[in-house]
Amino acid sequence: MDTLVADLLAGLEEIPLIDPHSHIDPLSPVARSLEDILGYHYYTELAHSAGMSQQVLQPQVPSRERVREILRFMSHYDNTAQYRWFVEIARTFLHFPGQRVTVNDADWLYETAERVFQQLHWEAEVRQRTRLEKIFLTNEFDDPLQGFDTTVYVPCLRTDTLVFQFHQPNTRQRLAACTGIEAEDAGRVRRAFLTLMERFVNRGAKACAISLPPQFVPAPLSDAELDNALRRADSAALAPALFWLLAECCRTFQLPFDLMIGVQRRVYRHGVFQGQDLFDQRTSLIQYQELFNAFPEVLFPISVLTSNQNQELVAYSWIFPNVIVNGHWWYSNTPPYIRKDLTERITAVPKNKLIGYYSDAYKLEFVLPKYRMYRQILAEVLAAEFVRPGLLSETEAVALGRQLLYDNVRTIFRL
Amino acid sequence: MDTLVADLLAGLEEIPLIDPHSHIDPLSPVARSLEDILGYHYYTELAHSAGMSQQVLQPQVPSRERVREILRFMSHYDNTAQYRWFVEIARTFLHFPGQRVTVNDADWLYETAERVFQQLHWEAEVRQRTRLEKIFLTNEFDDPLQGFDTTVYVPCLRTDTLVFQFHQPNTRQRLAACTGIEAEDAGRVRRAFLTLMERFVNRGAKACAISLPPQFVPAPLSDAELDNALRRADSAALAPALFWLLAECCRTFQLPFDLMIGVQRRVYRHGVFQGQDLFDQRTSLIQYQELFNAFPEVLFPISVLTSNQNQELVAYSWIFPNVIVNGHWWYSNTPPYIRKDLTERITAVPKNKLIGYYSDAYKLEFVLPKYRMYRQILAEVLAAEFVRPGLLSETEAVALGRQLLYDNVRTIFRL
Amino acid sequence: MDTLVADLLAGLEEIPLIDPHSHIDPLSPVARSLEDILGYHYYTELAHSAGMSQQVLQPQVPSRERVREILRFMSHYDNTAQYRWFVEIARTFLHFPGQRVTVNDADWLYETAERVFQQLHWEAEVRQRTRLEKIFLTNEFDDPLQGFDTTVYVPCLRTDTLVFQFHQPNTRQRLAACTGIEAEDAGRVRRAFLTLMERFVNRGAKACAISLPPQFVPAPLSDAELDNALRRADSAALAPALFWLLAECCRTFQLPFDLMIGVQRRVYRHGVFQGQDLFDQRTSLIQYQELFNAFPEVLFPISVLTSNQNQELVAYSWIFPNVIVNGHWWYSNTPPYIRKDLTERITAVPKNKLIGYYSDAYKLEFVLPKYRMYRQILAEVLAAEFVRPGLLSETEAVALGRQLLYDNVRTIFRL
């Protein structure tokens, strides 16, 4: 065991967390059963990829049965980072005594989870053990944002539907329902967007967010052109311009706009729920050059789906004051990609522009194992790039880690 | 010396090999002279790139002279992985005593090779020292598949000609000659393909294979459209559709279809034989989405030419049950790329979907040094990613290695 | 501390340098004040990216004030490789005693620099401490090339203006002024280019150079087509053809043609001076296939802007005798990219085709810290890939390093 890395890791584990991106439901933030853990698409998609039939995912199959089947197929993907997250959850939260989980543990895990997850104050306990101060949500634009503590569960306006589904009548009906505005021309769209963003800001929202396909190029339309595109319900024309309007609203409300770049939806059309999306590596941040030039006052924390695009992200963040590097997303959220991308970032981008990590979690129990994976790698990178070459002391290296894990999230999102 | 890596390597060296892709001629599987080794395009192209004139490759130049010249230029590329393969061959098979080979060794090597390679049972000895159980071939569609043991030399239908040269009368004549079918319309093409694939399967074939250019997008044609494209001998229209027909045949015969993606042929038009091909990194597996969706019953072991595309391969294999990760191809078959790509794969893709390596060899003598290079890196990766972090014991790590080297080849190709 | 790496580094530090690419002004090669160091765009752009207003870069702001402000923002980018270069300069040339520089050191550094940089023979001292034998320049085509020692400051014809600004009357006027030829048709353009290249060669020029955008595809035009494009001042048509003409001139004069591929100019339009350029990762060396085929007699030392393109560079150099690998450029000139790219190159490309590094420096003081960074990584790579696996002795490894740092520059540029 490398004692320097262990020492740095110990230092990093003292740092509280503000998790700047998740899919937590604040009305049901923790797991209720083992199925809430193993139903996470990372497990269903890996099990299916390794050979599991989707039959077992049908609602009529009993929950315990489904969990057992996903665990059975785990023996085919126990080499993955996702498997390690599950073992960490079992060990940390269920006090599972072993180092490896197999189908033989299904009943024990299922029953222990039933008991543990029903405890009073389970949510508070998970947050406390995770040292989790705040966690950002992903809220649909018509989310009522009621019934939870927004100083812990920080609202974030997710805008995919507004940008990519605006041509569908249902979207405009929902928008009308929550803003009172029939958004049928450019002026009213703008007013509706401002209205809902104001509601979000008043409820403590700290960011807008959107995921974007590889080909996407933001571009404004004149009001007349936008009116025309709205009449024709032309989604290809609408999306770049509606995105641009949202950036204008972010400027008005001083909200950072999280861009998650590169996902192609529904590539595997018969895949499991949320296990259908992939990508086309041929994308470039050059597509955003007009945006970055036009909105110097808006911060754009950017996630890229592929490690290939990391050098673009490093370079654009090195040059553009408003481009911020944000976490390790999805297909790049495994140790080899985190190690490479983090090393490239931390030696080239001003350190006040690096948001280290976010969990992307659906249930709070995932925050701990995912951040643990990240902190381990962060400790290794700090050791190799800064402490061993004599550039930083251990204390200074931990301070740099703290900036990535905590300080920058506060500064950039104005918490 | 790292004893953990050495121990793992010793364990991995016990594992027999099934090599799932080569260019071995089963009627002449081993080298007859040193020229059979140094004539391999890896050496001629590196020597030429380093400054060797192609004059020496003319047939009228005596073999010993040619070998000496390639060895002379080796002093300019003795930093490469290819050089190490040659040193391994010299040491292992010719009992060359040194650690480095230079032009001064030309006569000794040439003469020793003459003697050693002519030994009785040389082929059996090479296979035995290599622990090589089976090795897949690359067979043209009209290969007679006669005169060799198909339980050792496993036929594999190579389909490049059928897909990319079908517009040439010669291809259809050859097809007619071996199937008895004049493939002039969609129905007869389909019958001809089924006929020849049946013949291959009856002779023990375990896979179809094809190499594909970066821009290629498979797509079916209706029979009427295909009839039309056949009449016009329109190769651009034919290739995607003929490829699709072959995938249908693979489904019928339950054959995996090896896709080797990304090669651009004849880029350096005056290059040495087989040393003319390069690539355009701008390619994506998204081009294959319809194929992967349409053929859930067909396994597609996929090789990508560039390490840049490895993350796509990892992600597509993580999501699609029928996408299999296959080896390290050509320009990605050097230690830094193998190390990176293997590390990314083995931490993210279900382990039953990883085919570790294939030799791509033209002569059996190359299987050993190439697999040795791979096993060394595999041992290092297993140590760094699994044993040192406490995730696997040494025995478990070697078992994981065995799955990549042996078990998965048996399962995926139904041996 | 790794003693093997330290030993190799000590060996590498004995090797004199020939720096094959810089932006040194031979009439003012060294810094006159600290501002000449901190005004380097790497510092102004990082400071601006980290939050510094550009106001302080206005000429009316006093120099000492500007330096202080750039130093103040250094606290936000003291994690970067660029920061380390500055610390090295301060320690080596100003005898700064600390390990870290902050704004508190501003006055001391400013005043010490005033004193040290004004010393007699400062230029000679910098070159001697750097062991710098020769350094290549970047000369505009109408540079008088007078007043300096061309055996130390080696002229290099930079051709961006000729290729990309030829449609502007000013360029042709300048060309006429220095060649006496009004280049208004193909024949006269050719003569003008030959005339100026002859002048350069007579003044000791050893290379042509150009930086190229990601989309660029060289292609010849017939004289009639070129005449037509010249009449229309059609820059899109002119650039590929003028580039081709320059390659013909390089052939005539046996000059290597340095290609620096992938930069997109003025992406951040309001960025600091020289801090506006970025890139589109979607580019390929396949765009140069006709060039490489057409000019087998011309050597093309190639720099790629992104590490993504390194595998293309490795493969094209492995296959094409006239493609040379050249240094680590700009956004790829930080330790993680150098480490990766160098490792990939040194295990796959004939070693006589590898130019290890160039400084790209604007002032001589930068040559030392940049090469020091490179040599450190080179020592690590030699240790890991060659000495530790038993392939080279330490002495042989240092000799390989010498080939990359020195011998190949002499051979390739015919010094």
Side-chain angles (χ1 to χ4, degrees):
Chain A
M1 177 53 166
D2 184 321
T3 59
L4 171 58
V5 172
D7 286 352
L8 291 170
L9 189 54
L12 296 174
E13 280 172 352
E14 299 292 312
I15 300 164
L17 300 180
I18 302 178
D19 182 344
H21 176 60
S22 83
H23 295 268
I24 295 293
D25 174 0
L27 305 179
S28 177
V30 283
R32 293 274 144 197
S33 75
L34 198 60
E35 183 169 10
D36 279 349
I37 302 295
L38 287 175
Y40 190 29
H41 69 86
Y42 279 94
Y43 300 110
T44 54
E45 73 200 14
L46 281 168
H48 176 55
S49 172
M52 187 185 79
S53 156
Q54 295 199 48
Q55 287 305 321
V56 76
L57 301 177
Q58 302 289 322
Q60 63 271 29
V61 175
S63 165
R64 187 190 281 249
E65 191 62 30
R66 180 158 38 249
V67 159
R68 188 190 308 280
E69 198 65 7
I70 295 169
L71 278 168
R72 187 189 319 282
F73 276 84
M74 229 173 222
S75 68
H76 292 305
Y77 59 89
D78 58 11
N79 54 308
T80 63
Q82 288 80 354
Y83 171 79
R84 296 188 213 174
W85 302 340
F86 182 70
V87 174
E88 292 268 3
I89 287 172
R91 289 173 52 83
T92 305
F93 294 118
L94 304 181
H95 302 291
F96 178 74
Q99 296 289 347
R100 299 187 70 71
V101 169
T102 74
V103 67
N104 299 326
D105 305 309
D107 285 328
W108 188 94
L109 288 167
Y110 194 86
E111 286 154 21
T112 309
E114 291 280 283
R115 200 178 63 248
V116 169
F117 292 167
Q118 303 301 332
Q119 285 173 80
L120 269 181
H121 311 306
W122 179 242
E123 176 202 357
E125 187 166 335
V126 174
R127 282 206 279 122
Q128 184 248 307
R129 284 211 228 160
T130 307
R131 292 181 185 264
L132 184 64
E133 277 190 9
K134 294 172 190 289
I135 184 164
F136 283 47
L137 308 175
T138 291
N139 305 95
E140 268 298 300
F141 67 87
D142 52 357
D143 188 313
L145 304 175
Q146 297 294 338
F148 59 91
D149 179 353
T150 60
T151 66
V152 173
Y153 294 103
V154 182
C156 172
L157 173 60
R158 182 71 174 239
T159 59
D160 299 49
T161 310
L162 292 173
V163 169
F164 295 108
Q165 306 300 330
F166 205 84
H167 59 290
Q168 302 206 340
N170 177 254
T171 304
R172 293 198 301 277
Q173 287 155 17
R174 286 169 54 197
L175 186 60
C178 74
T179 63
I181 298 165
E182 302 282 346
E184 278 161 17
D185 58 39
R188 282 180 285 173
V189 171
R190 191 175 285 116
R191 275 205 297 124
F193 282 7
L194 286 167
T195 301
L196 65 84
M197 210 173 280
E198 186 171 30
R199 183 171 66 84
F200 265 75
V201 169
N202 288 341
R203 281 295 295 157
K206 296 298 179 189
C208 257
I210 190 167
S211 72
L212 297 159
Q215 310 75 22
F216 189 72
V217 182
L221 287 183
S222 71
D223 279 12
E225 291 166 327
L226 183 52
D227 288 350
N228 188 14
L230 285 163
R231 261 194 305 278
R232 288 178 293 121
D234 176 348
S235 65
L238 283 172
L242 294 170
F243 175 91
W244 199 273
L245 281 186
L246 287 168
E248 291 176 357
C249 296
C250 285
R251 181 172 56 197
T252 301
F253 289 100
Q254 297 189 287
L255 278 190
F257 198 172
D258 293 345
L259 310 185
M260 308 172 83
I261 293 175
V263 64
Q264 196 99 10
R265 300 289 177 187
R266 306 209 59 237
V267 173
Y268 176 27
R269 290 191 299 272
H270 307 294
V272 304
F273 178 63
Q274 291 175 327
Q276 308 183 347
D277 305 337
L278 282 157
F279 57 87
D280 180 336
Q281 63 165 331
R282 295 166 302 181
T283 182
S284 175
L285 288 180
I286 200 82
Q287 300 164 206
Y288 296 84
Q289 66 176 322
E290 293 308 323
L291 181 79
F292 300 151
N293 275 292
F295 295 95
E297 314 87 344
V298 178
L299 294 183
F300 295 100
I302 292 180
S303 300
V304 290
L305 192 52
T306 72
S307 181
N308 281 350
Q309 211 179 356
N310 193 57
Q311 193 175 10
E312 283 199 349
L313 182 53
V314 164
Y316 279 71
S317 180
W318 158 350
I319 293 299
F320 278 103
N322 55 340
V323 174
I324 304 291
V325 177
N326 193 15
H328 300 270
W329 190 33
W330 202 337
Y331 293 113
S332 292
N333 186 25
T334 63
Y337 296 116
I338 296 172
R339 202 180 291 146
K340 167 186 166 294
D341 293 348
L342 172 59
T343 306
E344 293 171 5
R345 294 169 183 186
I346 207 169
T347 53
V349 177
K351 66 189 182 189
N352 61 343
K353 302 182 72 187
L354 295 171
I355 298 173
Y357 198 67
Y358 51 75
S359 73
D360 219 354
Y362 283 73
K363 292 293 174 188
L364 284 186
E365 288 84 352
F366 279 99
V367 178
L368 186 143
K370 287 183 156 191
Y371 269 92
R372 192 169 280 172
M373 172 181 75
Y374 176 72
R375 275 185 298 228
Q376 172 70 36
I377 299 165
L378 179 57
E380 292 164 7
V381 170
L382 290 170
E385 302 296 325
F386 295 97
V387 183
R388 292 231 156 79
L391 301 167
L392 295 181
S393 68
E394 287 189 39
T395 306
E396 290 165 337
V398 171
L400 176 53
R402 182 188 163 95
Q403 195 163 352
L404 270 64
L405 280 165
Y406 187 81
D407 301 340
N408 289 341
V409 181
R410 291 183 67 94
T411 318
I412 289 163
F413 294 105
R414 304 155 55 92
L415 300 179
Chain B
M1 178 54 169
D2 183 322
T3 59
L4 171 58
V5 172
D7 287 351
L8 291 170
L9 189 55
L12 295 174
E13 280 172 352
E14 299 293 310
I15 299 164
L17 300 179
I18 303 177
D19 182 344
H21 175 62
S22 83
H23 295 269
I24 296 293
D25 173 1
L27 305 179
S28 176
V30 284
R32 293 273 145 198
S33 75
L34 198 60
E35 183 169 11
D36 279 348
I37 301 295
L38 287 175
Y40 190 28
H41 69 87
Y42 280 94
Y43 300 109
T44 53
E45 72 201 15
L46 280 168
H48 176 55
S49 171
M52 186 186 80
S53 157
Q54 295 199 48
Q55 288 305 321
V56 77
L57 302 177
Q58 301 288 322
Q60 62 271 28
V61 175
S63 165
R64 187 189 281 249
E65 190 62 31
R66 180 159 37 249
V67 159
R68 187 190 310 280
E69 197 66 7
I70 295 169
L71 278 169
R72 187 189 320 282
F73 276 85
M74 228 173 223
S75 68
H76 292 306
Y77 59 89
D78 58 10
N79 54 309
T80 64
Q82 287 80 353
Y83 170 78
R84 298 188 211 173
W85 303 341
F86 181 70
V87 175
E88 292 268 2
I89 288 172
R91 289 174 52 83
T92 305
F93 294 118
L94 305 180
H95 302 291
F96 178 74
Q99 296 288 346
R100 300 186 70 71
V101 169
T102 73
V103 68
N104 298 326
D105 305 308
D107 284 329
W108 188 94
L109 288 167
Y110 194 86
E111 286 154 21
T112 308
E114 292 279 284
R115 199 179 64 248
V116 169
F117 293 167
Q118 304 301 331
Q119 286 173 78
L120 268 180
H121 312 306
W122 180 241
E123 176 203 357
E125 187 167 334
V126 174
R127 281 207 279 123
Q128 184 247 309
R129 285 212 227 159
T130 308
R131 293 182 186 265
L132 183 64
E133 278 190 8
K134 294 172 190 289
I135 185 164
F136 284 47
L137 308 175
T138 291
N139 305 95
E140 268 298 301
F141 67 86
D142 52 358
D143 188 312
L145 304 175
Q146 298 293 337
F148 60 90
D149 179 354
T150 60
T151 67
V152 172
Y153 295 102
V154 181
C156 171
L157 173 60
R158 182 70 174 238
T159 59
D160 299 50
T161 310
L162 292 172
V163 169
F164 295 108
Q165 306 300 330
F166 204 85
H167 59 289
Q168 303 206 339
N170 176 255
T171 304
R172 292 199 301 278
Q173 286 156 15
R174 285 169 54 198
L175 185 60
C178 74
T179 64
I181 298 166
E182 303 282 345
E184 278 161 19
D185 58 38
R188 281 180 285 173
V189 171
R190 190 175 286 115
R191 274 205 298 125
F193 281 9
L194 286 167
T195 300
L196 65 85
M197 211 174 279
E198 187 171 29
R199 182 171 67 85
F200 265 76
V201 170
N202 288 341
R203 280 295 294 155
K206 296 298 179 189
C208 257
I210 190 167
S211 71
L212 298 159
Q215 312 75 22
F216 190 71
V217 183
L221 287 182
S222 71
D223 278 13
E225 291 165 326
L226 183 52
D227 287 351
N228 188 13
L230 286 163
R231 261 193 305 276
R232 288 178 295 121
D234 175 349
S235 65
L238 283 172
L242 294 170
F243 175 92
W244 199 272
L245 280 187
L246 286 168
E248 290 175 357
C249 296
C250 284
R251 181 172 56 198
T252 301
F253 289 100
Q254 298 190 286
L255 277 190
F257 197 172
D258 294 345
L259 310 185
M260 308 172 84
I261 293 175
V263 65
Q264 197 100 8
R265 301 289 178 188
R266 306 208 60 237
V267 173
Y268 177 26
R269 291 191 297 273
H270 307 293
V272 304
F273 178 62
Q274 291 175 326
Q276 308 183 346
D277 305 336
L278 281 157
F279 56 87
D280 179 338
Q281 63 164 331
R282 295 166 302 180
T283 180
S284 175
L285 288 179
I286 200 82
Q287 299 164 206
Y288 296 84
Q289 66 176 321
E290 293 307 323
L291 181 79
F292 300 151
N293 275 291
F295 295 95
E297 314 87 344
V298 178
L299 295 182
F300 295 99
I302 292 181
S303 300
V304 289
L305 193 52
T306 73
S307 182
N308 281 350
Q309 210 178 358
N310 193 57
Q311 193 175 10
E312 282 198 350
L313 182 53
V314 164
Y316 279 71
S317 180
W318 158 351
I319 293 299
F320 277 104
N322 54 339
V323 173
I324 304 292
V325 177
N326 193 15
H328 300 270
W329 190 34
W330 202 339
Y331 292 113
S332 292
N333 187 26
T334 63
Y337 296 116
I338 296 172
R339 202 180 291 146
K340 168 186 167 292
D341 294 348
L342 172 59
T343 305
E344 293 171 5
R345 294 169 182 186
I346 206 169
T347 53
V349 177
K351 67 189 182 189
N352 62 344
K353 302 182 72 187
L354 295 172
I355 298 173
Y357 197 67
Y358 51 75
S359 74
D360 219 354
Y362 284 72
K363 292 292 174 189
L364 284 186
E365 288 85 351
F366 279 100
V367 178
L368 186 143
K370 288 183 156 191
Y371 269 93
R372 192 169 279 172
M373 171 180 75
Y374 176 73
R375 275 185 299 227
Q376 172 71 35
I377 299 165
L378 179 57
E380 292 164 7
V381 170
L382 290 170
E385 302 296 324
F386 296 97
V387 183
R388 293 228 157 79
L391 301 166
L392 295 181
S393 69
E394 287 189 40
T395 307
E396 288 164 339
V398 171
L400 176 52
R402 183 187 163 94
Q403 195 163 352
L404 269 65
L405 280 164
Y406 187 80
D407 301 340
N408 288 341
V409 182
R410 291 183 66 93
T411 318
I412 289 163
F413 294 105
R414 304 156 56 90
L415 300 179
Chain C
M1 178 53 169
D2 183 322
T3 58
L4 171 58
V5 172
D7 287 352
L8 291 170
L9 189 55
L12 296 175
E13 280 172 352
E14 300 292 312
I15 300 164
L17 300 180
I18 302 177
D19 182 343
H21 175 62
S22 82
H23 295 268
I24 296 292
D25 173 1
L27 304 180
S28 176
V30 284
R32 293 272 144 199
S33 75
L34 198 61
E35 184 169 9
D36 279 349
I37 302 294
L38 287 175
Y40 190 28
H41 69 85
Y42 279 95
Y43 300 109
T44 54
E45 74 201 13
L46 280 167
H48 176 55
S49 172
M52 187 185 80
S53 157
Q54 294 198 49
Q55 287 306 320
V56 76
L57 302 177
Q58 302 289 321
Q60 63 271 29
V61 175
S63 166
R64 187 189 282 250
E65 191 63 31
R66 181 161 36 251
V67 159
R68 188 190 309 280
E69 197 65 7
I70 295 169
L71 278 168
R72 188 190 319 284
F73 276 85
M74 230 174 220
S75 68
H76 293 305
Y77 59 90
D78 58 10
N79 54 307
T80 64
Q82 287 80 354
Y83 171 78
R84 296 188 213 173
W85 302 340
F86 182 70
V87 175
E88 293 267 2
I89 287 172
R91 289 173 53 83
T92 305
F93 293 117
L94 305 180
H95 302 291
F96 178 74
Q99 295 289 346
R100 299 186 71 70
V101 168
T102 74
V103 68
N104 298 326
D105 306 308
D107 285 328
W108 188 94
L109 288 168
Y110 194 84
E111 286 153 21
T112 309
E114 292 281 284
R115 198 179 63 247
V116 169
F117 293 165
Q118 304 302 332
Q119 286 173 77
L120 268 182
H121 312 306
W122 179 242
E123 175 202 358
E125 186 166 336
V126 174
R127 281 207 278 123
Q128 184 246 309
R129 284 212 227 159
T130 308
R131 292 181 186 266
L132 184 64
E133 276 190 9
K134 294 173 190 289
I135 184 164
F136 283 46
L137 309 174
T138 291
N139 305 94
E140 268 298 300
F141 66 88
D142 52 357
D143 188 312
L145 305 175
Q146 298 293 338
F148 59 91
D149 179 353
T150 61
T151 66
V152 172
Y153 295 103
V154 182
C156 171
L157 172 60
R158 182 70 173 239
T159 60
D160 299 49
T161 309
L162 292 173
V163 169
F164 295 108
Q165 307 300 330
F166 204 86
H167 59 290
Q168 304 207 338
N170 176 254
T171 305
R172 293 199 301 278
Q173 287 156 15
R174 286 169 54 199
L175 185 60
C178 74
T179 63
I181 299 165
E182 303 281 345
E184 277 160 20
D185 57 39
R188 281 180 286 173
V189 171
R190 190 175 285 114
R191 274 205 297 124
F193 282 7
L194 286 167
T195 300
L196 65 84
M197 211 174 277
E198 187 171 29
R199 183 170 66 85
F200 265 74
V201 170
N202 288 341
R203 280 295 294 156
K206 296 299 179 188
C208 258
I210 189 167
S211 71
L212 298 159
Q215 311 74 22
F216 190 71
V217 183
L221 287 183
S222 70
D223 279 12
E225 292 165 326
L226 183 52
D227 287 350
N228 188 13
L230 285 163
R231 261 193 305 278
R232 289 178 293 123
D234 175 349
S235 66
L238 283 172
L242 294 170
F243 175 92
W244 199 272
L245 280 187
L246 287 167
E248 290 176 357
C249 296
C250 284
R251 182 173 55 199
T252 302
F253 289 99
Q254 296 189 288
L255 276 190
F257 197 172
D258 293 345
L259 310 185
M260 309 172 84
I261 293 175
V263 65
Q264 196 99 10
R265 300 289 178 187
R266 305 209 60 237
V267 173
Y268 176 27
R269 290 192 298 272
H270 308 293
V272 304
F273 178 62
Q274 290 175 329
Q276 307 183 348
D277 304 337
L278 282 157
F279 57 87
D280 180 337
Q281 63 165 330
R282 296 166 302 181
T283 182
S284 175
L285 288 179
I286 201 82
Q287 300 163 206
Y288 297 84
Q289 66 176 319
E290 293 308 322
L291 181 79
F292 300 150
N293 275 291
F295 294 94
E297 314 87 344
V298 178
L299 294 184
F300 296 99
I302 291 180
S303 299
V304 289
L305 192 52
T306 74
S307 182
N308 281 350
Q309 211 179 356
N310 193 56
Q311 193 175 10
E312 284 198 349
L313 182 53
V314 164
Y316 279 70
S317 180
W318 158 349
I319 293 298
F320 277 103
N322 54 340
V323 174
I324 304 292
V325 177
N326 193 15
H328 300 271
W329 190 34
W330 202 339
Y331 292 114
S332 292
N333 186 25
T334 64
Y337 296 116
I338 296 172
R339 202 180 290 147
K340 168 186 166 292
D341 294 349
L342 172 59
T343 306
E344 293 171 6
R345 294 168 182 187
I346 206 169
T347 54
V349 177
K351 67 189 181 188
N352 61 344
K353 301 181 72 186
L354 295 171
I355 298 173
Y357 197 67
Y358 51 75
S359 73
D360 218 353
Y362 283 72
K363 292 292 174 189
L364 283 187
E365 287 85 352
F366 280 99
V367 178
L368 185 144
K370 287 182 157 192
Y371 269 93
R372 191 170 279 173
M373 172 180 75
Y374 176 73
R375 276 185 297 228
Q376 172 71 35
I377 299 165
L378 179 58
E380 291 165 7
V381 170
L382 290 170
E385 302 297 324
F386 295 97
V387 183
R388 293 230 156 78
L391 301 166
L392 295 181
S393 69
E394 288 189 40
T395 306
E396 288 165 337
V398 171
L400 176 53
R402 183 188 162 93
Q403 194 162 353
L404 269 65
L405 281 165
Y406 188 80
D407 300 339
N408 289 342
V409 181
R410 291 183 67 93
T411 318
I412 290 163
F413 294 104
R414 305 154 55 91
L415 299 179

